[in-house]
């Protein structure tokens, strides 16, 4: 009985210590808060209300590669992994731009290009972020795909994004 009470007290103390250290993370620049691995879910994207989920890795240089993607309600279309980068960081806010090819799920033939711009804000504790995403779709084929363009015009879709931290880099400082 005493052992289980001591374990409970130790657990509460450990959680309080971890929470305090994470709460201090929001004082860091947003690039430092974003470094790590994130589970990202984007909703309100597809015409039938579908969503997509992926894993995003952000390094200290601002590269934000999107790896693996799961689409729900995509109607035979899939995304490729997406190269991305942090293009703005201001206070607790950020902007990430990425692009991915849309391909036929059965044949893998390119059907278009998706350029996405996340405009987000870190949440208290730096373990989550919320963002709005503008999605731009450009025609693309095997014969010709346009280069991603910073002047994209009006987005085809505006979506909601939620990111949850999965991991942070292991610190080598002692």
């Amino acid at each position: 009985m005493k052992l289980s009470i001591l374990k409970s007290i130790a657990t509460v103390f450990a959680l309080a210590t971890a929470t305090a250290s994470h709460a201090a993370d929001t004082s860091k620049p947003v690039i430092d808060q974003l470094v790590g691995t994130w589970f990202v879910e984007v909703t309100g994207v597809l015409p039938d209300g579908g969503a997509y989920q992926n894993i995003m890795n952000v390094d200290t240089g601002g590269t934000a590669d999107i790896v693996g993607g799961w689409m729900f309600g995509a109607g035979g279309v899939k995304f490729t992994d997406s190269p991305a980068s942090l293009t703005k960081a201001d206070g607790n806010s950020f902007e990430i731009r990425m692009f991915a090819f849309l391909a036929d799920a059965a044949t893998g033939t390119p059907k278009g290009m998706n350029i996405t711009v996340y405009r987000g804000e870190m949440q208290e504790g730096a373990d989550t972020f919320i963002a709005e995403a503008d999605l731009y779709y450009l025609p693309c084929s095997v014969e010709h795909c346009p280069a991603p363009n910073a002047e994209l015009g009006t987005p085809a879709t505006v979506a909601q994004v939620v990111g949850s931290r999965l991991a942070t880099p292991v610190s080598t400082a002692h």
Side-chain angles (χ1 to χ4, degrees), residues 15-99:
L15 288 172
T17 303
T19 302
S21 66
H22 282 294
D25 286 348
T26 55
S27 65
K28 293 181 185 178
V30 72
I31 180 60
D32 293 341
Q33 295 177 53
L34 279 169
V35 171
T37 302
W38 296 85
F39 174 78
V40 178
E41 181 167 46
V42 183
T43 58
V45 177
L46 304 166
D48 58 0
Y52 69 87
Q53 299 172 335
N54 55 44
I55 303 296
M56 178 173 73
N57 293 307
V58 181
D59 70 17
T60 56
T63 299
D65 292 323
I66 311 299
V67 294
W70 303 272
M71 296 190 72
F72 303 96
V77 176
K78 67 179 181 177
F79 282 99
T80 60
D81 292 350
S82 309
S85 60
L86 184 70
T87 53
K88 289 183 186 176
D90 181 26
N92 223 26
S93 301
F94 62 88
E95 178 181 285
I96 293 175
R97 289 184 180 233
M98 68 196 75
F99 71 93

Side-chain angles (χ1 to χ4, degrees), residues 114-128:
N114 167 30
I115 300 172
T116 302
V117 180
Y118 288 179
R119 291 180 319 281
E121 187 170 294
M122 297 303 294
Q123 300 302 294
E124 186 64 35
D127 282 334
T128 60

